[in-house]
Amino acid sequence: MKKKLLLIYNPLAGKSKIKNWLSSIVEYFGRGNYEIVIYATKGKKDAKKIVTDCLKRDKYELVVCSGGDGTLNEIISGVMEFDNKPVIGYLPSGTTNDFAYNLKLPKSLPKAAEVVLKGEVFPCDIGIFNGEYFTYTAAFGLFTDASYETPQANKNTLGRMAYILEGIKRLPNWKAYHMEIQCGERIIKDNFIYGMVANSVSVGGFKGLAGKDVQLDDGLFEGIFIKMPQTVLEFQGVINDLLKGNLNSDHIYSFPVKEITLLCEEKVPWSIDGEFGGEHEKVEISNLNRAVSIIRGVD
């Protein structure tokens, strides 16, 4: 008896490259003894609705997502609503595909499809942000809005450079948020231009920003918070430290996170897995250890 595979793809992700490979990928999955049900998303939150509707009606052993990290976030958010969770496969076709790097997935969609059927199933930590799920990062501050305010046409044409150009436009408008951060017995009060709670070796297409020893299933996130530099030279020094993975800086707080609360007197815009996550005065984040099963590549 054939197993059931649900394939949900974002036709606009990246340069719409999934359209060139969809037929051959479906044929490949079919040869893997799967009965395949296919849906294309039509807008934001559509992927979550599709997966929840399908899982309510029928049982699927495997749910495969093709799109960017935002689409994967929606799929995982939908799967998390069920006790009997299917395994998740990922065909990365977005602009930066940060989480795909964590999963050791090839950039080629046909090769990524091979990983879905031949890769390793492993339990992965998931985050919860004020009651909403996230896959690999929750962030605020400088550059974070570039991912969701960059026009899709620019992302398709320029790739990661589109994010960089969008971020550079914001440099003259540095804004610091005075926050109180509570994490375990640690309480920090300071002015921050950037902060993130992440479970990823790649953020915004840049590798090593969260450190060198990121584990996706250890029950801990990496918390990184950057104080407001007083000069452009200090700011450049912070950027250099981040790009080198050097988090032992006078301007950077870095520590593991199981649960964390952030308080601010004004509403702060947040980015969740590269998408707009709303504006909040209080944020509570926690790690859900090994909450979903995802397929990754093997060395």
Side-chain angles (χ1 to χ4, degrees):
M1 183 176 179
K2 288 189 174 182
K3 296 175 287 186
K4 297 198 72 171
L5 183 155
L6 176 61
L7 172 59
I8 301 173
Y9 71 96
N10 180 352
L12 300 180
K15 297 180 180 180
S16 301
K17 62 180 180 179
I18 183 62
K19 295 179 180 179
N20 298 325
W21 296 105
L22 185 59
S23 178
S24 59
I25 288 173
V26 170
E27 183 181 345
Y28 175 73
F29 288 156
R31 293 199 302 271
N33 199 36
Y34 279 98
E35 176 186 341
I36 305 151
V37 177
I38 309 171
Y39 286 90
T41 62
K42 299 176 182 178
K44 290 186 182 299
K45 305 299 182 183
D46 198 30
K48 180 178 179 180
K49 183 179 185 304
I50 292 170
V51 74
T52 53
D53 287 348
C54 288
L55 294 181
K56 286 176 183 177
R57 292 195 304 264
D58 209 343
K59 178 184 177 181
Y60 291 87
E61 285 79 10
L62 183 58
V63 175
V64 179
C65 162
S66 177
D69 293 326
T71 307
L72 178 63
N73 169 285
E74 293 186 31
I75 298 294
I76 289 177
S77 296
V79 167
M80 285 294 295
E81 295 186 6
F82 296 86
D83 293 330
N84 188 16
K85 299 177 179 61
V87 174
I88 298 172
Y90 187 26
L91 305 177
S93 56
T95 305
T96 56
N97 302 308
D98 284 313
F99 203 67
Y101 185 82
N102 292 313
L103 300 177
K104 303 176 183 177
L105 297 179
K107 294 181 179 180
S108 162
L109 288 180
K111 290 182 179 179
E114 289 184 17
V115 172
V116 170
L117 296 192
K118 300 177 181 179
E120 173 188 35
V121 177
F122 86 107
C124 183
D125 296 349
I126 296 299
I128 189 163
F129 174 100
N130 283 2
E132 300 290 333
Y133 298 108
F134 68 94
T135 308
Y136 73 98
T137 185
F140 70 87
L142 195 64
F143 290 120
T144 55
D145 59 349
S147 60
Y148 55 79
E149 290 195 0
T150 302
Q152 184 65 50
N154 290 359
K155 294 180 186 178
N156 291 347
T157 303
L158 300 174
R160 191 178 74 175
M161 182 58 66
Y163 291 133
I164 297 173
L165 294 175
E166 192 72 19
I168 288 173
K169 292 194 302 186
R170 289 157 170 72
L171 280 177
N173 301 310
W174 292 1
K175 179 175 176 58
Y177 297 98
H178 185 74
M179 284 190 173
E180 177 179 314
I181 299 174
Q182 304 167 359
C183 186
E185 297 181 355
R186 184 191 300 260
I187 297 179
I188 302 169
K189 296 181 181 180
D190 218 320
N191 298 316
F192 299 98
I193 60 166
Y194 178 83
M196 75 173 179
V197 176
N199 195 37
S200 178
V201 295
S202 177
V203 178
F206 296 96
K207 299 170 181 62
L209 290 186
K212 301 176 181 178
D213 299 313
V214 176
Q215 301 295 322
L216 304 184
D217 60 352
D218 62 356
L220 294 171
F221 293 142
E222 283 63 50
I224 298 173
F225 302 92
I226 302 175
K227 296 192 292 184
M228 177 68 174
Q230 299 305 307
T231 66
V232 174
L233 189 60
E234 284 185 0
F235 177 76
Q236 184 60 55
V238 170
I239 296 299
N240 290 340
D241 285 337
L242 287 173
L243 293 178
K244 294 176 183 178
N246 175 25
L247 303 180
N248 297 316
S249 166
D250 291 338
H251 287 87
I252 301 175
Y253 294 98
S254 174
F255 46 86
V257 171
K258 173 61 178 176
E259 295 180 344
I260 190 170
T261 300
L262 302 99
L263 305 171
C264 188
E265 294 180 353
E266 61 181 304
K267 290 188 176 181
V268 179
W270 282 77
S271 170
I272 306 298
D273 290 342
E275 302 291 337
F276 182 56
E279 297 184 349
H280 308 272
E281 294 177 1
K282 180 179 180 179
V283 165
E284 294 180 325
I285 298 173
S286 58
N287 179 294
L288 303 178
N289 186 217
R290 301 188 173 195
V292 297
S293 295
I294 299 180
I295 301 173
R296 66 181 175 186
V298 293
D299 295 326

